[in-house]
Amino acid sequence: MATNGAQEAFTPADVLAAVMTMRSGEQETKKQAHEYLERFQKSKDSWATIIGILQSSAEPEATLFAAITLRGKITYDLATQVPPSELPALRSQILLLLKHFAPGPKPIRVQLCVCLAILAIQMKEWNDVLQTVVQSLGDSPESHACILDFLRVLPEEVTEGRKITLSEEDLAARTQALLGDNADQVVQLLINYSQSSPAAAQNPLLMECITSWLREVPVENVVKSPLLEVIFNGVTGDNCSQEASECLCTMLRETADVDESQEIIETLFPRIIALSSKIEKITEEEDTDSLKALTKVFATAAESWVVGIARQAAHFRPLVDAVLECALRDKDRDVIEHTFNFWYELKLYIVLERYIQSRLELVDVYSKLVDILLKHLEYPRPDSGNENDLFDGDREQEEKFREFRHQMGDTLKDCCEVMGVTDCLTKVLEAIQVWTSKYANQVTDTSVPHWQELEAPLFAMRALGRMVDKEESIVLPQLMPLLVQMPSHEKLRFATIMVLGRYTEWTSVHPEYLEPQFNYIVNSFQSDSKEIIRAAALSIKFFCTDCKHLLSGQVLQLQSFYNQILDKLPDLSKEEITEGVANVVAVQPHEEIYRLLKTYCDPLVQRLMDKANNATDEEGKLALADHLQLITIFVQNVVPPSNPGQENPAVKYWQEVFPILSTVLDNFLDFTPICERVCRCWRNMVISYRTAMTPMLPDMANKLAGGFNNSREGCFLWVTSAILREFSEAREHVDQSTTESIYNFFEAQTTTFLRVMTQLQPKELPDVIDDFFRLLIDALLYYPQRLIPSHLLRPIFEAAIYALTLEQRDPLSSTLHFLRDLLSYGGDNPASSDSIPAAAATDIRNTIRGLLSTLGENLVKQVMAGMMITFPRDCFADGSGVLLALFELFPGETTQWVSHTIQLLPQGTVSLVEAERLMLKIKERLSSGDPSAMRNVRALLQDFTNTYRRRNVAPRDGLGQLEATRFQFSG
């Protein structure tokens, strides 16, 4: 093992001072204290200091820090820093500390219980854990709390045992010894405690303890024990209703297999129903917490027994009614959300043909639920009476309400599936008609009484849009004329616009309703409300997309409206309305496309030039970049079909615009957003028009090459990648000379990148690395027979290894994906888009194997360093995928490379036993002949690197040998 340099000294006084600094110091000193404490937590010499702080009369904050640190030490450092002979002494020390902190503070006591539990998992010879703990802590009331805390955390910590460095076999054995063998004893302990006093039976800790052990103790054992009475008494009691309800919910979830749990359900069902008599009382008392606890119990029981409800709706009807009553009585919308999942689960069953009878029996429940939801959907009536501030300044409450409405919208869809669209929409229609009959004659220009009762059904109608077939002809023909006559009120107009935009598919087959709806949307742009204008732009997009053929006759009037309104809109609305009108242009006759593109886009191009001339500050440049996106939207959507050899009218127009885009690019080459937007536009041209872009390729390639060379922006590689893909050798109607020119262009871009990579550290160009390896993935896919034998392959491979020193997800993912694809060419299943001739495939395999024979160890070292230290979690799977590919190609050599890498790790970070156990298991798996051996090796490496990472969260001193070799390219 490598040495780790001189050990840093940590005195108790310095540690305590650092803890205090974290509470009240300046930012810079806090940062230094944080780094100091991080080093202290991983230090081999910190054990004594931690115990000393816990034994002293230090501040509670410092004591809690010491307890948390001790937990981390026992979890991660026990195997590498404490000899087995010293473990009993450590156990005795923790038991003494537990006795000392038994009266509290509770956070410290709990942390010490966790410490003892984690130690118990790792002390394989300690088999009388419960007896030792109970005897050591004694029989005082304080010790009872301590024992309950220990019993509560023990199953949780054993279940999380993957973070502890035990083998699978040892962990399974300790799980059995600590949990399986003690389950009956724990139940008896809890029964004895619950019967020791009335206060004990109402102790929240007791409920939490039962909940924790329900993952180990069969629920039947608890149901048949005195603990069941204790739990139900707790649910209705004053001291532990939340904890007892959670305990009961955990039990109920264990009975989800209704056939296996029939006897338990028969015991629990009447007791659950008996609780429903409490709903009215706690509602009258406005006891929200108790209502929430009861709602969770009813909803969990109903979810767990949903199959039984679907089979025997009449028998379980009281339970369904109890869930419904909780939803009904929830005046402040505090608990209804806990019922949503049940309504969804029940719907999934009763819409099936086999449960049609239950559907008929329960349809009235869903009908009542719609009425409840319509009431809950209403905006609040502000206490202040200020209609402009419905939530009295509480923005968090307003956001919560908006999110909550969309959840209710999903439940409305569930009701619709059970009741049928007609009945559900009829309720919306009736709600609008009721409001009209009561309040319509009281509406004035400035006041709409009780508008909340009108807006709620509008929102419901919008939520149901996905459920309504475009052929619906019973309710919507009655609703649509009402919508465009809504009173003038901002919330009502917004809701109406959103509804009309939601039903554009229906309008497309009922064209007689199009004109009044479209006019209503267009007139809404005169509003002073930004929210209404944004909604109107979104609706125009939907109208133009779904009714594009119906709007073809108005395509020129539409352009006039578009040009007039565009500058008044926010950026997102500009994009939405542009997408809409582009869809109408796209369906016009082929011979009209060029003229219409010119009509619509020339004003956009003129605005572009004006903005470019005035873009002197960052704000102006960003506005220019945003405007470029509008041109790109036309490129994406106006894609006329054209035959090979035939001029594409869209390409004809974009050829005229290309010099202007090039000039903009040249003038703002130092401003990334503009470079990216121009490149995105060109990339979409290639994707949209494909080989029809051939006339524009030479000029575009020159701009891309010059742009990348001068700016080092990765966006130029996006376009290169698209060109490479669309003009590959496998494409039809692409001549060989074009393909040759494009591949040469790609090699030139690659050479430029490799030169840049030589001059800079990877962390200085992560985005460019991301884009480069995305480009290489395409190059490898479409041109393997040219790229792999190329003189550039070795420097590309070295650059990939160098790029693995990054810590950002996207460039790492791209690099690892490229490496996995490249390594696949060393085997019999390459990641190619086409079959490769046998002779060429053999040459390619030999090339890859030759490359690995010289650079394989460097690759293993960097991938393992990444997985242990620097990779973000999302890259672990790809990192282990690279290692798996190496094991498949070179099992013996890769085993050696892994072993060499582990030997480079700093002393004390991995024990010799761990390292030897890993290598032994890898060799066993590789020699087993088992088809799943490689997957097992991958799992072993993932476990090892995860363990190392958890133990050593950040790189420590002495990792110098794991640093990547500096990349050099002289091409």
Side-chain angles (χ1 to χ4, degrees), residues 2-8 39 905-907 909 948 954-960:
T3 58
N4 197 28
Q7 288 290 322
E8 183 176 7
R39 294 194 302 276
L905 294 168
Q907 187 177 23
T909 59
Y948 186 92
R956 302 188 183 189
D957 294 336
L959 286 174

Coordinates of all heavy atoms in Angstrom, one line a residue, residues 2-8 39 905-907 909 948 954-960:
A2 N 0.4 2.3 -0.6 CA 1.1 3.6 -0.6 C 1.0 4.2 0.7 O 0.1 4.1 1.4 CB 0.6 4.5 -1.7
T3 N 2.0 5.0 1.1 CA 2.0 5.8 2.3 C 1.1 7.0 2.2 O 0.9 7.5 1.1 CB 3.4 6.1 2.8 OG1 4.0 6.9 1.7 CG2 4.2 4.9 3.0
N4 N 0.8 7.6 3.3 CA -0.2 8.7 3.2 C 0.5 10.0 3.8 O -0.2 10.9 4.1 CB -1.4 8.4 4.0 CG -2.6 9.3 3.6 OD1 -2.6 9.8 2.5 ND2 -3.5 9.5 4.6
G5 N 1.7 10.0 3.9 CA 2.4 11.2 4.4 C 2.2 11.4 5.9 O 1.8 10.5 6.6
A6 N 2.7 12.5 6.4 CA 2.7 12.8 7.9 C 1.2 12.9 8.4 O 0.4 13.5 7.7 CB 3.5 14.0 8.2
Q7 N 1.0 12.4 9.6 CA -0.4 12.6 10.2 C -0.5 13.9 10.8 O 0.4 14.5 11.4 CB -0.6 11.5 11.2 CG -0.7 10.1 10.7 CD -2.1 9.9 10.0 OE1 -3.1 10.4 10.4 NE2 -2.1 9.2 8.9
E8 N -1.7 14.6 10.5 CA -2.0 15.9 11.1 C -2.4 15.7 12.6 O -3.2 14.7 12.9 CB -3.1 16.5 10.3 CG -3.5 17.9 10.8 CD -4.6 18.5 9.9 OE1 -5.1 17.8 9.0 OE2 -4.8 19.7 10.0
R39 N -11.2 16.7 7.8 CA -9.9 15.9 8.0 C -9.9 15.2 9.3 O -9.5 14.0 9.4 CB -8.7 16.8 7.8 CG -8.5 17.4 6.4 CD -7.1 18.0 6.3 NE -6.8 19.0 7.2 CZ -7.2 20.3 7.1 NH1 -7.9 20.7 6.1 NH2 -6.8 21.2 8.1
L905 N -3.6 3.1 -3.7 CA -4.4 3.8 -2.8 C -3.7 4.2 -1.5 O -2.8 3.4 -1.1 CB -5.7 3.0 -2.4 CG -6.7 2.8 -3.6 CD1 -7.7 1.8 -3.3 CD2 -7.3 4.1 -4.1
P906 N -4.0 5.3 -0.9 CA -3.3 5.8 0.3 C -3.4 4.7 1.4 O -4.5 4.1 1.6 CB -4.0 7.1 0.7 CG -4.6 7.6 -0.6 CD -5.0 6.4 -1.3
Q907 N -2.4 4.6 2.2 CA -2.4 3.7 3.3 C -3.5 4.0 4.3 O -3.8 5.1 4.6 CB -1.0 3.7 4.1 CG -0.9 2.6 5.1 CD 0.5 2.7 5.8 OE1 1.1 3.8 5.8 NE2 0.9 1.6 6.3
T909 N -6.7 3.6 3.8 CA -8.0 3.8 3.2 C -8.7 2.5 2.8 O -9.9 2.4 2.7 CB -7.9 4.7 2.0 OG1 -7.0 4.1 1.0 CG2 -7.4 6.1 2.3
Y948 N -15.4 2.3 -0.8 CA -14.3 3.2 -0.7 C -14.8 4.7 -0.7 O -14.3 5.5 0.1 CB -13.3 3.0 -1.8 CG -12.1 3.8 -1.7 CD1 -10.9 3.3 -1.1 CD2 -12.0 5.1 -2.2 CE1 -9.8 4.0 -0.9 CE2 -10.9 5.9 -2.0 CZ -9.7 5.3 -1.4 OH -8.6 6.1 -1.2
A954 N -14.1 12.5 0.1 CA -13.3 13.4 -0.8 C -11.9 12.9 -0.9 O -11.4 12.1 -0.1 CB -13.3 14.8 -0.2
P955 N -11.2 13.3 -2.0 CA -9.8 12.8 -2.1 C -8.9 13.2 -0.9 O -9.1 14.3 -0.4 CB -9.3 13.6 -3.4 CG -10.5 13.9 -4.1 CD -11.6 14.1 -3.1
R956 N -8.1 12.4 -0.4 CA -7.2 12.7 0.7 C -5.8 12.9 0.2 O -5.4 12.6 -0.9 CB -7.2 11.5 1.7 CG -8.6 11.1 2.2 CD -8.5 10.1 3.3 NE -9.8 9.7 3.8 CZ -10.0 9.0 4.9 NH1 -9.0 8.5 5.6 NH2 -11.2 8.6 5.2
D957 N -5.0 13.4 1.2 CA -3.5 13.6 0.8 C -2.9 12.2 0.5 O -3.3 11.2 1.1 CB -2.8 14.1 2.0 CG -3.2 15.6 2.4 OD1 -3.7 16.2 1.4 OD2 -3.1 16.0 3.5
G958 N -2.1 12.2 -0.5 CA -1.4 11.0 -0.9 C -2.0 10.3 -2.1 O -1.6 9.2 -2.4
L959 N -3.0 11.0 -2.7 CA -3.5 10.4 -4.0 C -2.8 10.8 -5.2 O -3.2 10.6 -6.3 CB -5.0 10.9 -4.1 CG -6.0 10.3 -3.2 CD1 -7.4 10.9 -3.3 CD2 -6.1 8.8 -3.4
G960 N -1.6 11.3 -5.0 CA -0.8 11.8 -6.2 C -0.6 10.7 -7.2 O -0.6 11.0 -8.4

